[in-house]
Amino acid sequence: EILIRSFTKVAGFFENKPVVIRAPDLGADKLPPFLSIREDNPLLGLRGIRLLLEYRSSILEPFLRGFLKAYGASSNLKLMIPMVSRPSEVYEFIEVLESTASRLGLSYPSELELGIMIETPSSAVLIDKFAKIPHIKFVSFGTNDLTQYILAVDRTNPKLASLYNELEPSVLRVVAKSVEDALRYGVHVEVCGEIASKPLAIPILLALGIRTLSINPRYVGLIKYVINNLELKRFEHLRGKILDADDAKMVEDIVVNSLRSHNIDLRSVLLFSRTSS
């Protein structure tokens, strides 16, 4: 009942605007107290969809029951699957969704839009496969985890902080190719990682074809300011230069120089970029 009320309230607050509900993204440092899981490497262990499928009766199915009941009254809800690595996980998730709907006496809502979080390199390079799954309508790049897996850097390790940067060309190349494939197959693209709250990253994301961002509320005003001061056609040429850069520092220099040439207020941009890093 708590889930139903929560989902319905959020959906009603935004009226007819789309509301994305992410299935419980548990595992690693986000374990619920009622689960006792010990893993030598939890960052590569039971996380996201893996954990949900492992504990389907105690976590996934109750969540889906609440979601489906709320969806019956709030059709602006969408559902996103976290930490996906391969298409078979999505098919299995949909099977659980269908069986849960059947037990509730409901038919599977064919109009329900499903999305997946792109947090693993494997999901990034398999966009064409995910796009062929009928219910998948959007993908959301979780750049925090995607970056640490591409760079093989534990983002929670302070000794490796200097090596972790979402603007590394290796990360941007993977995102660029994945976005290109998604758009080719008609799949909507979003970014929900912390990179979306960093002003210097905005021209890059726009140049890569991304048009929807999930932003920390405290940075909404600043990001709107940056976007409102950008003319997209002036930054489309950045794509080639950025993807051909040697490292994140070179990427940042390219963006800063481009912003300067278009009279963006660099003082506020750079200040908030540093504080949000």
Side-chain angles (χ1 to χ4, degrees):
E1 292 299 326
I2 294 177
L3 284 178
I4 300 172
R5 289 197 303 269
S6 298
F7 295 159
T8 303
K9 185 175 182 179
V10 172
F13 180 80
F14 288 98
E15 298 180 346
N16 294 322
K17 296 183 176 65
V19 175
V20 177
I21 301 296
R22 179 170 61 178
D25 188 9
L26 304 172
D29 59 339
K30 295 178 290 186
L31 273 178
F34 58 85
L35 286 183
S36 178
I37 300 176
R38 290 180 174 82
E39 298 178 300
D40 291 334
N41 194 341
L43 290 175
L44 298 178
L46 279 177
R47 299 189 60 187
I49 184 62
R50 302 170 187 174
L51 186 142
L52 293 177
L53 293 175
E54 179 73 17
Y55 294 91
R56 66 186 65 194
S57 62
S58 57
I59 298 178
L60 180 55
E61 291 176 356
F63 164 79
L64 291 177
R65 284 197 296 270
F67 177 86
L68 287 168
K69 290 180 180 179
Y71 183 80
S74 310
S75 58
N76 59 327
L77 292 176
K78 299 182 180 184
L79 182 57
M80 185 163 65
I81 310 170
M83 197 66 186
V84 172
S85 296
R86 54 188 183 177
S88 61
E89 294 170 330
V90 177
Y91 284 115
E92 190 171 354
F93 181 94
I94 292 174
E95 287 179 3
V96 179
L97 181 60
E98 290 175 338
S99 64
T100 301
S102 178
R103 284 196 292 273
L104 291 174
L106 305 172
S107 58
Y108 180 85
S110 58
E111 70 282 3
L112 171 62
E113 293 189 18
L114 293 181
I116 61 172
M117 289 191 70
I118 304 297
E119 300 171 274
T120 63
S122 62
S123 60
V125 301
L126 288 175
I127 287 293
D128 60 321
K129 300 296 184 181
F130 291 111
K132 293 176 183 177
I133 301 175
H135 304 291
I136 297 300
K137 303 300 182 183
F138 67 98
V139 296
S140 186
F141 286 83
T143 53
N144 301 346
D145 274 321
L146 183 60
T147 297
Q148 77 169 341
Y149 292 136
I150 290 175
L151 299 179
V153 172
D154 179 359
R155 64 189 177 94
T156 66
N157 187 336
K159 293 184 179 180
L160 301 178
S162 63
L163 300 178
Y164 177 87
N165 193 320
E166 304 101 321
L167 299 185
E168 284 293 334
S170 56
V171 177
L172 297 179
R173 285 189 182 191
V174 171
V175 172
K177 181 62 168 62
S178 190
V179 169
E180 183 180 315
D181 290 344
L183 296 178
R184 183 187 305 119
Y185 286 95
V187 176
H188 181 71
V189 175
E190 307 172 359
V191 167
C192 60
E194 291 179 11
I195 193 174
S197 298
K198 297 184 177 182
L200 288 181
I202 300 306
I204 299 172
L205 298 177
L206 293 177
L208 296 184
I210 294 165
R211 299 292 181 268
T212 304
L213 306 174
S214 177
I215 301 171
N216 186 316
R218 64 183 292 200
Y219 297 118
V220 169
L222 178 64
I223 298 305
K224 281 187 174 182
Y225 163 79
V226 174
I227 293 175
N228 288 336
N229 281 274
L230 296 177
E231 289 186 36
L232 180 58
K233 62 182 180 181
R234 295 184 178 180
F235 289 88
E236 290 176 339
H237 70 282
L238 289 180
R239 177 187 173 96
K241 294 181 179 179
I242 289 167
L243 299 182
D244 193 45
D246 293 340
D247 52 38
K249 176 62 168 58
M250 186 178 292
V251 170
E252 292 174 2
D253 289 342
I254 291 170
V255 176
V256 168
N257 290 333
S258 185
L259 289 172
R260 182 179 291 118
S261 69
H262 293 95
N263 298 315
I264 302 295
D265 184 354
L266 287 178
R267 288 177 299 176
S268 63
V269 171
L270 293 175
L271 172 63
F272 278 87
S273 292
R274 293 185 184 117
T275 58
S276 64
S277 296

